[in-house]
């Protein structure tokens, strides 16, 4: 049995979510744009999901636009807004996910002046540097994530949005990691656009949403039928959207419980890890997602530690999961001013609602053995060590 500690990469599809989806794969498979009864049934299910997702982020259902995931939502926001605004400067936080950094690169190649906003040693946006960048003028778009996928650090999005608005810029917020883990309000965030992804909240992969105001002038990313306000042509994936809606509903209902549970496990892990000599746990002074902890052990490379843990059946991530396979140091930790060697050693543990204390203790035991650091040795399930 694998101990799965990689919930920021993706989560297990919840059973009630699967059950909610199945009828739309088996019986109610009609095209939601069709006028007949089966089509209307599919449309009604999509409308319900739109309400459920809107509730998750305190938005109006009319502000929810379904996409093929978080990456698509980020691309749609940045490229779609840039297409309308034509030219100027774009400020992107230095610690964004590649799903924001890469569209930024594409826009830079298209002639936009794209600049990165620095963060402090705890991974929080440097508000002074940000204000100075804004004050230079002509900033049309600002992009800053709500919570970082590696460190879990939460940004002060209302303050960052307020500054963007003060200088006449549009604010995009990638809230893919924050949704379902902390209370989230599109209305109170001050953001013009906000990205979400279903598979980070025990929903299906390949479905997400861009939250945006109806009046916002934005270009479609790809063109086709008039689906999703004409901004995303293509027959809706009804089952996936229904699954996203159900996952959002459960995330709202269980937010406090999930957050309390993962925070307790994270604190236990953090206390146990602190016993390993020289261990560095990142961003502990910043407000973090309750489920996330990133650390490095001196002398250990992140990739090899990950593979060693994997041999014990413990699944973690080194830096961003989307960048695994490459041994580049984490750009997030580099932006926080950490040396490349430390950044290369980073391991991310991201807990989920299904994890338990025994699993955390097992990881602590294995890590203590691997690093010979003398950390506490709680009892371990031999089956795990054998696996
Ligand atoms: N933004 C952040 C912060 C993420 O962590 C991820 C996924 O790792 C994405 C965007 C991409 O979302 P998706 O996998 O739905 O395209």
């Amino acid at each position: 049995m694998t101990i799965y500690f990689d919930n920021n990469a993706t989560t297990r599809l919840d059973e009630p979510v699967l059950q909610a989806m199945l009828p739309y794969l088996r019986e109610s498979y009609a095209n939601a744009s069709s006028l007949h009864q089966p089509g209307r049934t599919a449309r009604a299910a999509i409308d319900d999901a739109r309400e459920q997702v809107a509730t998750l982020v305190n938005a109006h259902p009319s502000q929810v636009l379904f996409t093929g995931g978080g990456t698509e939502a980020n691309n749609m926001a940045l490229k779609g807004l840039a297409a309308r605004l034509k030219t100027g400067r774009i400020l992107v936080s230095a610690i964004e996910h590649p799903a924001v950094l890469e569209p930024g690169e594409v826009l830079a190649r298209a002639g936009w002046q794209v600049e990165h906003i620095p963060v402090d040693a705890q991974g929080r946006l440097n508000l002074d540097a940000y204000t100075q960048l804004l004050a230079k003028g002509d900033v049309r778009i600002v992009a800053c994530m709500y919570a970082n996928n590696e460190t879990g650090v939460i940004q002060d999005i209302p303050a960052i949005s307020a500054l963007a608005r003060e200088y006449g810029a549009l604010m995009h917020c990638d809230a893919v990691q924050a949704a379902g883990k902390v209370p989230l309000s599109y209305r109170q965030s001050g953001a013009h656009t906000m990205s979400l992804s279903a598979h980070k909240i025990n929903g299906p992969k390949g479905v997400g949403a861009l939250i945006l105001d109806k009046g916002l002038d934005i270009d479609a990313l790809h063109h086709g039928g008039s689906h999703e306000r004409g901004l995303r042509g293509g027959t809706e994936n009804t089952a996936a959207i229904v699954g996203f809606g159900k996952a959002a509903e459960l995330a709202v209902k269980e937010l406090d419980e999930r957050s309390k549970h993962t925070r307790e496990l994270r604190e236990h892990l953090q206390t146990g890890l602190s016993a390993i000599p020289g261990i560095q746990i990142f961003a502990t002074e910043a407000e973090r997602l309750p489920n996330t902890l990133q650390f490095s052990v001196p002398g250990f490379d992140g990739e090899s530690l990950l593979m060693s843990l994997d041999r014990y059946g413990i699944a973690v991530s080194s830096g961003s999961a989307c960048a695994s396979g490459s041994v580049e140091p984490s750009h997030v930790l580099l932006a926080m001013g950490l040396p490349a060697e430390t950044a290369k050693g980073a391991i991310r543990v991201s807990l989920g609602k299904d994890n338990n204390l025994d699993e955390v203790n097992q990881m602590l035991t294995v890590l203590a053995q691997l690093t010979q650091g003398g950390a506490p040795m709680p009892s371990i399930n031999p089956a795990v060590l054998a696996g």
Side-chain angles (χ1 to χ4, degrees):
M1 271 287 280
T2 300
I3 295 179
Y4 186 77
F5 283 162
D6 202 13
N7 288 278
N8 285 6
T10 198
T11 53
R12 186 177 63 81
L13 190 76
D14 239 352
E15 184 59 30
V17 174
L18 175 64
Q19 290 307 323
M21 291 171 70
L22 285 175
Y24 296 93
L25 291 165
R26 287 187 180 129
E27 301 95 24
S28 301
Y29 52 80
N31 189 321
S33 299
S34 298
L35 295 179
H36 44 63
Q37 180 56 49
R40 296 202 301 276
T41 301
R43 172 62 54 204
I46 291 175
D47 288 345
D48 287 349
R50 212 180 292 283
E51 279 188 29
Q52 289 163 319
V53 172
T55 303
L56 175 68
V57 295
N58 186 26
H60 191 272
S62 68
Q63 295 170 319
V64 178
L65 199 135
F66 287 116
T67 67
T71 302
E72 186 184 303
N74 283 329
N75 273 269
M76 186 182 268
L78 294 175
K79 294 176 185 167
L81 292 174
R84 289 292 163 110
L85 297 166
K86 305 284 190 251
T87 59
R89 294 168 65 218
I90 298 177
L91 303 183
V92 175
S93 99
I95 55 160
E96 293 299 301
H97 188 274
V100 167
L101 290 176
E102 289 303 316
E105 293 298 315
V106 171
L107 292 173
R109 287 198 288 278
W112 284 82
Q113 195 181 330
V114 180
E115 292 148 84
H116 290 169
I117 316 167
V119 294
D120 68 14
Q122 292 295 319
R124 295 169 294 219
L125 201 81
N126 180 328
L127 289 177
D128 287 340
Y130 170 48
T131 310
Q132 281 169 26
L133 283 167
L134 283 170
K136 284 189 200 163
D138 202 27
V139 176
R140 314 302 305 275
I141 304 170
V142 172
C144 183
M145 68 204 321
Y146 206 105
N148 185 264
N149 45 301
E150 293 187 35
T151 58
V153 170
I154 297 170
Q155 304 293 339
D156 186 352
I157 293 299
I160 294 164
S161 299
L163 276 165
R165 284 173 182 265
E166 194 181 317
Y167 285 89
L170 295 173
M171 172 76 191
H172 172 63
C173 181
D174 176 343
V176 162
Q177 290 293 345
K181 295 177 187 146
V182 290
L184 193 57
S185 169
Y186 169 71
R187 286 194 184 96
Q188 283 164 22
S189 74
H192 292 87
T193 52
M194 183 177 266
S195 307
L196 304 173
S197 175
H199 74 97
K200 309 289 185 181
I201 57 165
N202 303 92
K205 292 166 183 60
V207 60
L210 184 65
I211 313 297
L212 78 168
D213 206 65
K214 260 187 139 175
L216 198 67
D217 213 9
I218 188 168
D219 256 19
L221 196 59
H222 46 247
H223 303 87
S226 59
H227 313 83
E228 298 298 297
R229 290 191 249 157
L231 289 172
R232 189 185 190 259
T235 304
E236 292 94 340
N237 187 346
T238 310
I241 290 171
V242 165
F244 186 13
K246 186 68 186 174
E249 181 194 271
L250 291 170
V252 170
K253 207 178 284 174
E254 298 173 10
L255 178 70
D256 291 347
E257 191 185 323
R258 291 183 191 182
S259 153
K260 184 172 174 287
H261 176 65
T262 54
R263 187 181 298 279
E264 278 169 9
L265 295 183
R266 201 266 306 273
E267 295 311 307
H268 184 75
L269 178 64
Q270 190 159 313
T271 306
L273 287 176
S274 305
I276 297 175
I279 195 161
Q280 203 172 345
I281 303 172
F282 305 120
T284 50
E285 287 167 34
E287 194 190 343
R288 282 176 297 163
L289 294 174
N291 76 319
T292 308
L293 184 149
Q294 198 181 28
F295 69 94
S296 78
V297 185
F300 285 84
D301 167 72
E303 292 285 318
S304 39
L305 200 49
L306 178 153
M307 292 318 294
S308 301
L309 288 166
D310 188 47
R311 280 196 285 278
Y312 286 97
I314 301 171
V316 296
S317 166
S318 66
S320 162
C322 300
S324 68
S326 93
V327 283
E328 291 300 305
S330 148
H331 71 283
V332 175
L333 297 177
L334 290 181
M336 288 160 63
L338 287 154
E341 207 178 313
T342 310
K344 261 190 162 178
I347 289 284
R348 175 188 73 185
V349 178
S350 47
L351 303 153
K353 66 190 185 69
D354 300 326
N355 291 128
N356 60 50
L357 199 61
D358 187 42
E359 292 177 323
V360 173
N361 281 332
Q362 289 185 32
M363 170 157 173
L364 285 170
T365 303
V366 170
L367 262 182
Q369 287 175 1
L370 290 173
T371 61
Q372 297 172 352
M377 301 283 282
S379 63
I380 185 157
N381 175 359
V384 170
L385 284 171

